[in-house]
Amino acid sequence: MRDADFSDDLVKILFTEEQISQRVDELAAEIARDYEGKDLLLVGVLKGAVMVMADLSRALDRHVTMDWMAVSSYGSGTKSSGVVRILKDLDTDIHDKHVLIVDEIIDTGLTLSWLASNLSSRHPASVEVATLLRKPEALSMPVNVKYVGWDIPNEFVVGYGLDYNERYRNMRSVATLAPHVYS
Ligand code: PRP
């Protein structure tokens, strides 16, 4: 499906497929430089990070290993409690490994701050965070993020892994959702 087929549901394209691809390549180059000579494990946060993991890992001109976690906040969809439960844990032991958590968006920061601290407690060699998008105005928890694609306003965005009611993840661009879709 092409993004034009979704256009009735969208207000504005924030980042096109080309812009995302270029930015992911830039982040990959930075990561490759920083981790030169070190083994690197990319940890994708399901489900939204699937697209950025797929593109970032292939843009890295080096060996990497990949693993996945699925997490969910307690409560009815709100993340205010900051309590996260693990739905799917890593398959691998990260002791002494260099871990880079990869996600597509940091909103309040609760998920990533919890995840980074959970993984740090497993005694890896290092834990860093890479995200394509971050909403600085929505942050309620400090998250030490080493790699950021773009900071964006506090608006509802979909596409490139980001969903509304599980839809729009398969858009190639990132766009703001029209109010008629969710009101
Ligand atoms: C999204 C995103 C982050 C988290 C960010 O996942 O992938 O993991 O929310 O929000 P926060 O900074 O407020 O914690 P979501 O829980 O929507 O699950 P999904 O990836 O399966 O869509």
Side-chain angles (χ1 to χ4, degrees):
M1 200 156 158
R2 307 303 301 189
D3 284 10
D5 299 317
F6 296 99
S7 61
D8 287 351
D9 294 350
L10 308 176
V11 176
K12 185 180 166 209
I13 303 285
L14 291 186
F15 305 107
T16 64
E17 183 179 6
E18 290 72 26
Q19 287 172 314
I20 294 169
S21 166
Q22 191 185 337
R23 189 69 189 115
V24 168
D25 283 353
E26 288 168 4
L27 293 177
E30 222 180 299
I31 291 164
R33 269 200 309 276
D34 292 350
Y35 288 91
E36 202 178 342
K38 296 173 181 166
D39 285 341
L40 176 59
L41 171 69
L42 302 180
V43 171
V45 188
L46 293 169
K47 295 176 268 203
V50 165
M51 309 298 176
V52 67
M53 269 287 271
D55 288 343
L56 182 70
S57 60
R58 289 178 296 174
L60 282 167
D61 196 12
R62 52 158 292 155
H63 283 292
V64 285
T65 51
M66 287 187 256
D67 205 341
W68 299 89
M69 281 188 79
V71 294
S72 167
S73 296
Y74 279 113
S76 54
T78 74
K79 300 186 175 185
S80 51
S81 69
V83 181
V84 176
R85 80 191 148 113
I86 296 175
L87 302 178
K88 185 226 165 285
D89 208 339
L90 297 175
D91 295 331
T92 42
D93 181 359
I94 60 169
H95 190 265
D96 281 343
K97 294 201 176 142
H98 290 284
V99 175
L100 180 59
I101 305 171
V102 178
D103 212 342
E104 84 291 2
I105 194 161
I106 294 179
D107 201 324
T108 63
L110 293 172
T111 307
L112 265 291
S113 119
W114 184 89
L115 205 51
S117 123
N118 180 285
L119 296 189
S120 295
S121 72
R122 305 181 195 194
H123 306 292
S126 66
V127 178
E128 300 290 354
V129 174
T131 183
L132 184 71
L133 304 173
R134 179 175 59 184
K135 291 181 177 175
E137 295 156 24
L139 270 183
S140 68
M141 184 72 83
V143 189
N144 191 11
V145 188
K146 191 156 186 197
Y147 308 98
V148 183
W150 292 282
D151 281 325
I152 60 168
N154 193 9
E155 293 175 323
F156 201 99
V157 291
V158 293
Y160 197 70
L162 289 154
D163 74 305
Y164 172 68
N165 274 352
E166 295 300 326
R167 290 187 171 195
Y168 309 100
R169 291 193 198 274
N170 61 326
M171 277 173 42
R172 294 160 197 264
S173 54
V174 170
T176 48
L177 196 60
H180 75 80
V181 177
Y182 54 86
S183 58

